[in-house]
Amino acid sequence: LLPFHSEILGAVMKTISDEEVEIRQVAELTNNDLLKVVKETNNTFDLSPLLTTLTEELISPDVATKMAALRWINMLLEKKSQEMNKYIADILPVLLKTLSDPSDPVVLLNMQVLSRISLHTAEFQLVLTAVLNLFSTDRSLLETRGSLIVRKFCVLLNAKSVYIRMAGLLSKGNTTFSLEFISTMVQTLNLVLLTAPELYELRSLLKISFSAEASEEDRSVFVSLFECWCHNPVSTFSLCLMAQAYDVSYALINKFTTNVEITVGVLMQVDKLVQLLESPIFVHLRLQLLDVEAPYHASLLKACYGLLMLLPQSDAFRTLNERLSTVCNLRDNLSGVFEIADGANLWDEAAKKPEEGTRKSSTTRIDSDRLLSTFDRVLVLHNKVKQDDIKASETLTPQRRLIGTSTATMGRFSDTEEVRSAREGKV
């Protein structure tokens, strides 16, 4: 049968979604038998006609046909991975197009195929670059399926590798992507990082990146993400809170008042961040607010108050204000404990002591000044692009200028379902 497998498979694929139940059942059995024969054979066979048939069936409107075609491609990648490498460039465009399929099962199975392709280093880079290019041209796909695709990649591959590689592609002087797209993509990646249970290990790694016991590799992960996250100030701030880099967080808040344009979109992102601060993801931060004698406490408290001052009077403002008021009341109530007879203040004494048994932000090997310089450099780049866009828009008619106003600044933090899940502890 091997010389005729592509013709037989083509006939089977066309009937696997037939309206008649009996025909569908026979077609499914035949397809399973044929797949088993090809999978178990030790004889050589030509992949080219088989892949031509399968890629043609991937554009079929029938879900069952597309699912069967994807299972075949997945099997061939597993059986003949080396031989399949030379056909990746031919099948990848069709697989990327299938990511927009309205059927979730088709998309999830397609992600398995893409992940199997990505097991090789060169193909890993190729697939992630292609996915980012697809997101940049198809913003509706990014909005509707972006989080799902990123999370599935992190499950099927290594979450740390996926994030570091994507961050590198977005931030390393890649002129393929606009700064506006990079900022939007960073918001998507950041929201997944803060809410998805699949990224628990990566979050745990980031939490220790500023501690004395962190390895050089642990610290490099934070630095790699930070350099990319700088394209979105609120995401950068939340990343620093996650990593417990409170001195950097406070420095960033100060830059918000001078270097960052506070738009409605930025305020919406801050609002959603406050909601996330009430989720289990940031329980460590809320508990550290109680550690009033810790050296990092002042920076943490001022960073949170800086976030509060950015917000207008709203539910998010009141939520954060109540949280911080509780901390300040605690400090006032404990102040008598820290007064000693000679009038010295143990608050100051405690602030001078290094932490014992906890993270030591003052001894970190990560260069905070370099991080802040990177943030400033990226902000200057964004501001220059904005000024160029303003100058270009002055040549447009008022009607075209109104139509061309971007709504992208509303931000990916509008994904309230993910934020709600995080607050409910579904992470």
Side-chain angles (χ1 to χ4, degrees), residues 268-287:
M268 289 181 65
Q269 293 178 50
V270 174
D271 188 287
K272 301 306 178 185
L273 176 57
V274 171
Q275 295 183 42
L276 287 171
L277 290 178
E278 295 297 315
S279 72
I281 295 296
F282 283 104
V283 67
H284 67 280
L285 182 149
R286 301 198 298 273
L287 291 176

Side-chain angles (χ1 to χ4, degrees), residues 318-358:
R318 286 183 284 274
T319 298
L320 185 56
N321 186 49
E322 289 175 5
R323 174 76 64 182
L324 296 178
S325 297
T326 302
V327 175
C328 291
N329 290 338
L330 171 66
R331 184 162 183 165
D332 292 340
N333 291 334
L334 293 177
S335 61
V337 178
F338 285 83
E339 294 295 336
I340 57 179
D342 59 1
N345 194 324
L346 285 184
W347 293 112
D348 297 331
E349 296 297 324
K352 295 175 183 178
K353 296 179 182 179
E355 290 181 87
E356 297 180 1
T358 56

Side-chain angles (χ1 to χ4, degrees), residues 226-249:
F226 184 93
E227 291 177 352
C228 180
W229 264 229
C230 286
H231 288 278
N232 185 272
V234 178
S235 297
T236 310
F237 180 77
S238 63
L239 178 68
C240 291
L241 291 182
M242 170 64 64
Q244 306 180 65
Y246 301 131
D247 51 346
V248 181
S249 301

